[in-house]
């Protein structure tokens, strides 16, 4: 057994750890801990559980995910992706059912990691992932309208359309003080992000709104009026009441939680890699996520995963190792132990405003123009996944998304099969694509993609070109034998181009066949790479490489 393969990133990084690294991690950990506090409270309340459950999850899961994971900068905790799922589970099965589902999901995620299936989670295509995130963002925003406006809805519906109807009927009874406080909090969060991006706007808005409620005695709902405050310290260790007769009933929601947790954690780790230049271990990351979701319910916590926004904040704050994530968890523990009673004054409208911003950022709305340029089949997959997420059930959306992904894969592969007769003209046209006999400069590396480059196969590119620093100044990617591509495959090539660009290198594509060429043209991929760096054949690519090298125009060639 290869023990190195199962060594957490925290252990690997400690070999070269020093005071300077600890100082950077300490600053980053405190920063992201302050950012995580209002989010943990907001996610818990929106999920229908006590607010301390969110903070306890951020403490326990945040520490374990950083200590055991395969990423240097990943931050774990409760996230918006789970809000809709958790609230539905709590409404039907109560807290014991939620804890049971979290444990089951943790075991499933752990098995995915141990069995080496971490890369397989990426087999879900981009239209399905974007459909999920769009739909979840809409659902989160819809659940926050009630508290944002102070509407008197005693038991809001768990279904999207009935919930909107309840909101519309209650609008004449909105609370002016609550609505004004919510709008002011929203303005502060947006304004801080625009004009002072390094300052945690959510914390500033939370402190300011809480101070306003305390000083002006505003008649608004707070954590104290709704929940009686937050108990100091972690909830006591308690084994959830496990009911074997409910396993088959809860298996579907547990699979949904496991899939969402695995997908979001690996997406978050990928974002961290792009920002920090690191390369995470997806299987070790899933092992940590699984352990965290097994342990967290024992302390009254809720499902946890990698948090993209907090992870990005961690990287931007200068984190160097997983120690920053562990510091973030300890900061939240200190808050829970000593500042918990003060949280009773936090207005719910402020937390709703913060969740509106979270929903906006997690919605991937900037991806929609690119989605609309995809093929009709992929657009349909995106719309169906989005529609089922919003109007049906997230479990149904996950299952349908997986089936659509499989059908999309079969259709793409089957469309690449052709039978043609070879003519003399075909032979002559093919000579310019052949590498034999061509002079390849030492400062040029050539890679080729063979076969359909669709979702599920994109990790092969990352595995082949994983150490950018070992590459020469020019990299040529031959697409002559790539029979098909989809949006996930194109995203992988785009990511490679960005990584090479960031290191001062140039990527040249050449020889794309009809389907890939049409697809890249549809999505205006030349604009991203540079028209001169997309060539019809390998001879043209080599000529372009010599032009770059002899002219010393590397910087100009990279966009």
């Amino acid at each position: 057994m290869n023990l190195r393969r199962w060594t957490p990133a925290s252990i690997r990084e400690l070999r070269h750890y020093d005071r300077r690294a600890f100082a950077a991690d300490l600053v980053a950990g405190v920063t992201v801990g302050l950012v995580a506090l209002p989010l943990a409270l907001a996610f818990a309340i929106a999920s229908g559980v006590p607010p301390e459950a969110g903070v306890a999850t951020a403490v326990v899961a945040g520490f374990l995910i950083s200590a055991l994971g395969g990423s240097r900068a990943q931050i774990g905790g409760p996230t918006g992706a789970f809000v809709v799922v958790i609230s539905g589970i709590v409404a039907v099965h109560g807290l014991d059912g939620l804890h049971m589902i979290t444990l089951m999901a943790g075991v499933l995620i752990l098995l995915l990691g141990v069995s080496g299936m971490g890369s397989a989670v990426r087999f879900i295509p981009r239209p399905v992932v974007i459909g999920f995130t769009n739909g979840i963002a809409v659902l989160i925003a819809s659940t926050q309208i009630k508290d944002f406006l102070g509407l008197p809805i005693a038991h809001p519906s768990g279904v999207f359309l009935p919930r909107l109807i309840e909101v519309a009927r209650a609008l004449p009874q909105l609370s002016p003080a609550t609505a004004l406080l919510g709008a002011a909090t929203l303005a502060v969060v947006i304004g801080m992000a625009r004009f002072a991006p390094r300052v945690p706007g959510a914390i500033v808005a939370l402190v300011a709104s809480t101070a306003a409620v305390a000083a002006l005695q505003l008649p608004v709902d707070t954590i104290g009026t709704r929940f009686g405050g937050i108990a100091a310290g972690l909830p006591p260790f308690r084994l959830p009441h496990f009911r074997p007769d409910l396993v088959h009933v809860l298996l579907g929601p547990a699979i949904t939680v496991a899939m969402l947790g695995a997908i979001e954690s690996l997406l978050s780790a990928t974002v961290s890699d792009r920002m920090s230049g690191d390369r995470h271990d997806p299987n070790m990351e899933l092992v940590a996520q699984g352990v965290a979701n097994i342990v967290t319910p024992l302390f009254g916590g809720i499902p946890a995963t990698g948090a993209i926004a907090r992870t990005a904040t961690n990287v931007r704050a200068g984190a160097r190792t997983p120690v920053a994530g562990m510091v973030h968890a300890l900061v939240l523990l200190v808050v829970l132990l000593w500042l918990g009673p003060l949280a009773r004054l936090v207005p719910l409208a402020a937390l709703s405003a913060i969740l509106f911003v979270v929903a906006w950022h997690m919605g991937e709305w900037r991806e929609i123009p690119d989605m609309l340029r995809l093929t009709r089949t992929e657009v349909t997959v995106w719309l169906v996944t989005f529609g089922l997420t919003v109007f049906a059930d997230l479990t149904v959306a996950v299952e349908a998304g997986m089936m659509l992904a499989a059908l999309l894969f079969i259709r793409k592969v089957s469309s690449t099969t052709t039978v043609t007769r070879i003519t003399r003209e075909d032979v002559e046209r093919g000579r310019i694509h052949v590498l034999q006999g061509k002079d390849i400069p030492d400062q040029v590396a050539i890679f080729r993609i063979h076969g359909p480059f669709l979702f599920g196969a994109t990790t092969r590119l990352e595995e082949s070109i994983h150490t950018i620093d070992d590459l020469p100044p020019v990299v040529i990617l031959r697409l002559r034998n790539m029979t098909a591509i989809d949006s996930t495959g194109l995203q992988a090539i785009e990511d490679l181009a960005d990584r090479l660009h960031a290191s001062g290198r140039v990527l040249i594509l050449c020889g794309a066949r009809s389907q890939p060429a049409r697809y890249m043209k549809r999505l205006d991929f030349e604009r991203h790479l540079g028209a001169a760096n997309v060539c019809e054949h390998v001879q043209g690519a080599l000529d372009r490489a010599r032009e770059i090298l002899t002219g010393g125009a590397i910087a100009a060639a990279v966009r």
Side-chain angles (χ1 to χ4, degrees):
M1 182 177 180
N2 185 0
L3 293 179
R4 180 178 174 80
R5 177 187 172 190
W6 300 107
T7 302
S10 59
I11 302 298
R12 295 198 303 266
E13 293 297 327
L14 286 178
R15 297 173 187 170
H16 311 290
Y17 207 62
D18 55 24
R19 291 181 181 178
R20 187 173 297 177
F22 176 72
D25 286 339
L26 182 63
V27 172
V30 172
T31 302
V32 78
L34 294 176
V35 170
L37 176 60
L39 296 178
L41 294 171
F43 290 141
I45 292 171
S47 301
V49 300
E52 60 265 24
V55 184
T57 302
V59 172
V60 177
F63 189 90
L64 290 173
I65 288 170
S66 293
L68 303 177
S71 170
R72 286 193 307 181
Q74 178 85 286
I75 297 294
T79 68
F82 289 129
V83 165
V84 182
V85 181
I86 295 173
S87 59
I89 292 169
V90 172
V92 178
H93 302 291
L95 286 176
D96 278 332
L98 172 63
H99 295 154
M100 188 172 164
I101 285 171
T102 307
L103 277 167
M104 294 167 63
V107 172
L108 291 173
I109 296 173
L110 181 62
L111 291 176
L112 278 175
V114 171
S115 61
M117 294 291 288
S119 299
V121 175
R122 303 179 187 178
F123 284 18
I124 300 177
R126 187 161 162 250
V128 174
V129 174
I130 299 300
F132 285 154
T133 52
N134 290 157
I136 291 170
V138 169
L139 289 174
I140 291 173
S142 72
T143 62
Q144 298 309 301
I145 300 173
K146 168 184 171 292
D147 287 335
F148 185 80
L149 299 176
L151 302 178
I153 304 174
H155 302 289
S157 173
V159 183
F160 180 70
L161 282 179
R163 183 163 56 242
L164 291 188
I165 293 172
E166 291 172 346
V167 167
R169 289 174 177 170
L171 275 178
Q173 304 174 62
L174 68 81
S175 165
T178 303
L180 185 60
L181 182 66
T185 305
L186 186 62
V188 169
V189 176
I190 295 173
M192 294 296 291
R194 178 75 179 272
F195 300 108
R198 292 185 175 275
V199 179
I203 277 289
V204 173
L206 193 70
V207 171
S209 61
T210 303
V213 169
L216 303 176
Q217 295 294 303
L218 297 177
V220 299
D221 282 342
T222 65
I223 289 179
T225 61
R226 179 77 62 85
F227 300 97
I230 295 180
L234 283 175
F237 180 89
R238 184 179 75 88
L239 289 173
H241 180 55
F242 194 85
R243 293 180 53 186
D245 59 304
L246 285 180
V247 170
H248 70 286
V249 176
L250 301 181
L251 185 59
I255 292 174
T256 301
V257 170
M259 290 301 298
L260 285 174
I263 292 167
E264 187 165 6
S265 68
L266 295 182
L267 284 175
S268 178
T270 302
V271 169
S272 170
D273 289 351
R274 291 175 190 165
M275 295 179 67
S276 64
D278 189 28
R279 189 163 183 262
H280 73 279
D281 180 339
N283 295 313
M284 200 66 233
E285 192 60 35
L286 290 188
V287 167
Q289 301 286 341
V291 171
N293 281 286
I294 291 172
V295 175
T296 300
L298 305 180
F299 294 92
I302 59 179
T305 183
I308 296 175
R310 275 158 279 173
T311 298
T313 300
N314 192 38
V315 176
R316 284 196 295 265
R320 296 191 183 182
T321 76
V323 171
M326 291 184 267
V327 170
H328 131 270
L330 295 176
V331 168
L332 289 171
L333 179 59
V334 169
V335 170
L336 197 57
L337 289 173
W338 284 287
L339 301 180
L342 297 178
R344 59 185 299 274
L345 296 174
V346 172
L348 299 182
L351 296 178
S352 294
I354 292 169
L355 281 185
F356 276 140
V357 176
V358 170
W360 173 258
H361 287 304
M362 77 171 288
E364 304 275 9
W365 308 112
R366 294 177 182 175
E367 297 278 354
I368 291 180
D370 287 340
M371 285 287 110
L372 295 175
R373 291 207 297 262
L374 300 179
T375 63
R376 282 184 295 178
T377 304
E378 290 174 305
V379 171
T380 301
V381 169
W382 165 59
L383 289 174
V384 168
T385 307
F386 172 75
L388 288 175
T389 302
V390 173
F391 297 104
D393 178 81
L394 202 58
T395 302
V396 175
V398 169
E399 294 169 353
M402 295 303 294
M403 288 190 291
L404 288 170
L407 292 174
L408 189 63
F409 185 84
I410 293 170
R411 187 179 187 276
K412 287 280 188 183
V413 172
S414 64
S415 66
T416 65
T417 302
T418 59
V419 178
T420 57
R421 180 177 178 177
I422 301 298
T423 64
R424 291 181 180 276
E425 289 77 13
D426 293 329
V427 174
E428 291 303 318
R429 280 197 301 267
R431 293 186 190 281
I432 202 164
H433 295 282
V434 177
L435 271 174
Q436 282 79 3
K438 291 185 171 61
D439 180 30
I440 302 174
D442 292 335
Q443 292 180 294
V444 175
I446 301 180
F447 294 85
R448 71 173 182 178
I449 297 175
H450 201 286
F453 193 57
L454 311 175
F455 69 92
T458 56
T459 54
R460 303 289 179 85
L461 181 63
E462 188 176 309
E463 291 166 0
S464 298
I465 312 178
H466 61 274
T467 308
I468 297 293
D469 292 339
D470 294 339
L471 295 174
V474 178
V475 175
I476 296 175
L477 190 60
R478 291 188 68 202
L479 309 181
R480 176 65 176 169
N481 295 317
M482 184 180 76
T483 52
I485 195 170
D486 64 359
S487 58
T488 310
L490 197 61
Q491 181 71 49
I493 295 177
E494 186 174 312
D495 290 343
L496 173 63
D498 290 341
R499 289 166 59 203
L500 290 169
H501 171 269
S503 69
R505 292 168 174 81
V506 180
L507 177 65
I508 300 174
L509 302 184
C510 68
R513 294 190 175 207
S514 57
Q515 189 275 341
R518 288 197 308 270
Y519 200 87
M520 287 189 286
K521 185 175 182 180
R522 176 194 289 266
L523 295 182
D524 199 16
F525 188 71
E526 281 190 359
R527 187 164 56 91
H528 184 85
L529 196 64
N533 295 329
V534 180
C535 305
E536 293 185 7
H537 41 70
V538 71
Q539 183 60 61
L542 289 171
D543 293 341
R544 171 60 178 161
R546 291 190 186 92
E547 177 186 338
I548 294 170
L549 293 170
T550 57
I554 291 285
V558 185
R559 296 181 63 185

